[in-house]
């Protein structure tokens, strides 16, 4: 799927991936890819700036955690439930509008 397809919806994808608990960046990318059945492959150059922006907005917090011999920055939702609900609502409205245009149903 083209990267342009997720433009405008990246925040919602990232928030949804973190809804079940804290994850490090690569695990977030993997979660989105797995949940999309492999259709969405997010680039690190897109994901990390978005995570930083969401953290500046107060929707995420992060901290370093040891994972084996390495440290990774893990992200978790703060009080982002309302933002996630708004993202889901916007997505439903968007897909309904696009669906009505691309697949209008039988002509009357």
């Amino acid at each position: 799927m083209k990267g342009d397809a997720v433009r405008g919806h990246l925040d919602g994808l990232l928030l949804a991936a973190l809804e079940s608990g804290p994850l490090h960046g690569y695990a977030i990318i993997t979660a989105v890819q797995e949940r999309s059945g492999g259709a969405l492959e997010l680039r690190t150059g897109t994901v990390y700036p978005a995570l930083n922006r969401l953290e500046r907005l107060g929707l995420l917090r992060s901290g370093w955690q040891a994972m084996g011999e390495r440290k990774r920055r893990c992200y978790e939702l703060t009080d982002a439930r309302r933002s996630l609900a708004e993202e889901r609502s916007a997505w439903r409205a968007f897909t309904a509008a696009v669906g009505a245009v691309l697949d209008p149903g039988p002509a009357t």
Side-chain angles (χ1 to χ4, degrees), residues 18 21-31 47-48 51 63 65 67 70-76:
L18 289 164
L23 295 171
H24 59 83
Y26 181 74
I28 295 168
I29 292 169
T30 301
V47 170
Y48 287 105
L51 290 170
Q65 292 185 353
M67 301 209 161
R70 298 172 51 171
K71 283 189 172 185
R72 293 186 177 179
R73 182 172 289 279
C74 288
Y75 299 86
E76 64 181 314

Side-chain angles (χ1 to χ4, degrees):
M1 191 170 289
K2 295 180 181 177
D4 289 346
V6 298
R7 191 172 308 179
H9 302 286
L10 180 61
D11 291 359
L13 293 172
L14 298 177
L15 295 174
L18 289 164
E19 187 173 26
S20 61
L23 295 171
H24 59 83
Y26 181 74
I28 295 168
I29 292 169
T30 301
V32 169
Q33 186 174 13
E34 288 176 357
R35 287 172 67 172
S36 71
L40 300 176
E41 293 184 26
L42 302 178
R43 296 174 164 234
T44 57
T46 301
V47 170
Y48 287 105
L51 290 170
N52 290 333
R53 183 175 39 74
L54 290 170
E55 188 171 15
R56 281 192 312 274
L57 292 172
L59 299 175
L60 302 179
R61 71 176 147 251
S62 68
W64 292 99
Q65 292 185 353
M67 301 209 161
E69 295 183 18
R70 298 172 51 171
K71 283 189 172 185
R72 293 186 177 179
R73 182 172 289 279
C74 288
Y75 299 86
E76 64 181 314
L77 296 180
T78 56
D79 190 21
R81 305 280 180 221
R82 182 181 310 158
S83 293
L84 181 54
E86 290 169 0
E87 290 286 341
R88 285 183 169 136
S89 178
W91 173 252
R92 287 183 189 106
F94 175 76
T95 57
V98 171
V101 173
L102 293 178
D103 191 16
T108 55

